[in-house]
Amino acid sequence: MADLAKIVEDLSALTVLEAAELSKLLEEKWGVSAAAPVAMAMPAGGGAAPAEAAEEQTEFTVVLLDGGDKKINVIKEVRGVRSDLGLKEAKDLVEGAPQNVVENVSKQQADEVAKKLTEAGAKVQVK
């Protein structure tokens, strides 16, 4: 347990940039991703770090730009994608465009959501 306490003490002494570098090294070593914590820590780190994060984007947001002419179909698709929304909330989201439909999802999931909404008649953008 003394070794674990020393590790915690050493980690507490790291700067934000050192913690970000440690995170990258652990991701490479173990093949995992800690994208959300790194993304939150990077803006405090300096000017070059956000540019690197933009190149290695792993999380995407699907933005509904316009509900189109077939809003009922778009509302149905929004409810299918976002099971946490009721009919009124889905309708408000579509009518309040531009709105984020899903946030912080994988590229594959973002593309699937965008395809469903586009096929229903909406205009969407993946960021």
Side-chain angles (χ1 to χ4, degrees):
M1 290 304 269
D3 291 337
L4 292 178
K6 180 169 178 11
I7 291 171
V8 169
E9 185 177 319
D10 290 344
L11 289 175
S12 297
L14 293 177
T15 66
V16 172
L17 290 175
E18 291 170 333
E21 181 64 26
L22 174 63
S23 176
K24 287 181 186 178
L25 292 171
L26 293 175
E27 286 177 5
E28 291 172 9
K29 174 80 174 173
W30 294 329
V32 296
S33 176
V38 172
M40 292 186 323
M42 282 184 148
E52 291 174 14
E55 292 174 14
E56 300 175 14
Q57 185 174 356
T58 58
E59 295 183 341
F60 297 86
T61 300
V62 178
V63 180
L64 176 69
L65 300 175
D66 183 22
D69 295 335
K70 301 177 181 178
K71 288 186 180 177
I72 293 174
N73 293 338
V74 176
I75 292 168
K76 288 178 183 178
E77 287 301 327
V78 168
R79 287 197 66 209
V81 171
R82 295 272 311 267
S83 60
D84 62 317
L85 297 180
L87 181 60
K88 182 181 181 338
E89 291 85 4
K91 180 179 180 273
D92 292 344
L93 188 145
V94 171
E95 290 180 347
Q99 296 275 348
N100 293 348
V101 179
V102 292
E103 299 175 339
N104 303 325
V105 296
S106 68
K107 177 70 172 162
Q108 179 182 0
Q109 186 177 1
D111 289 341
E112 290 173 7
V113 170
K115 181 180 176 186
K116 287 179 183 179
L117 293 173
T118 303
E119 288 174 355
K123 293 180 185 173
V124 298
Q125 177 183 21
V126 177
K127 290 185 178 181

